[in-house]
Each structure stands twice: as structure tokens, then as C-alpha cells.
Amino acid sequence: LMRALAKLIAVNAPDLVLFVGEALVGNEAIDQLVKFNAALADHSSNENPHTIDGIVLTKFDTIDDKVGSAISMTYISGQPIVFVGTGQTYPDLKSLDAKAVVAALMK
């Protein structure tokens, strides 16, 4: 599956490749992100493979102490959290409120 995805990226040359993961899983999301990015690089036939450009975290409205993993994901990948999902419709995709994340970490 990752080989096919890497081929799709190479053939279509998208402007943006996003990793979509659940915020609920905490530190497991970091492991998923690292493995996803590594698989894209490993299965690409390009000399300079296109890896992720950003992160979308779903179920962000239900997290509490796991919010720190969001910061770790951006640090490890070097890519921003583009959107967070707070519901089940398109209007529920929101920009990340960094102040809210810091406030949740300081609880």
C-alpha cells in the first residue's frame, strides 16, 4: 500500500502531502507519523522523495493530557499541524489554536 502511495505521489506531484492521524492515541500518533514518513521515503523511486508537508489531527476536541503529542509531532517531523478536526463535517476542520494547546499542557 505504501509503495502504491509513493508511486501516486511521484506520478501526480501533489502540492501538499498530509498525514492524517487521530489525536486520541497520544504518543502512538508520533510513531505512526514517523513510520508513515519513512515508508514514503523508502518506497519512493525518486532520489529526493516527497514526504509529508503537514499534519491533520482528528478528534482533537476530545483530547486532554495527550495534547503534548501534537507538539512532539511537529517537532519530530518539522512540519506544521495544518488542521485539527473537532467534529464530523468540513466546517469542523479548524486551524490549530496554539494558545489552547499550551493552556491544556499547563493544567
Side-chain angles (χ1 to χ4, degrees):
L1 184 60
M2 290 306 297
R3 196 170 288 121
L5 181 59
K7 184 177 179 181
L8 272 172
I9 292 170
V11 169
N12 294 306
D15 294 327
L16 195 63
V17 175
L18 298 174
F19 170 80
V20 179
E22 277 191 19
L24 284 175
V25 296
N27 286 333
E28 182 63 29
I30 299 165
D31 189 43
Q32 292 171 4
L33 171 73
V34 169
K35 287 180 180 177
F36 181 82
N37 219 17
L40 281 180
D42 292 346
H43 294 297
S44 176
S45 59
N46 293 344
E47 186 177 309
N48 190 12
H50 189 155
T51 55
I52 68 162
D53 299 307
I55 302 164
V56 176
L57 289 178
T58 63
K59 301 180 182 176
F60 200 77
D61 55 326
T62 58
I63 64 169
D64 43 44
D65 59 337
K66 295 180 180 154
V67 73
S69 64
I71 294 172
S72 295
M73 291 174 80
T74 61
Y75 178 78
I76 288 170
S77 69
Q79 302 301 331
I81 296 175
V82 181
F83 294 110
V84 292
T86 59
Q88 297 184 16
T89 62
Y90 286 118
D92 296 323
L93 285 174
K94 312 272 188 217
S95 295
L96 180 67
D97 181 359
K99 289 181 183 179
V101 172
V102 171
L105 284 171
M106 296 301 181
K107 284 184 185 179

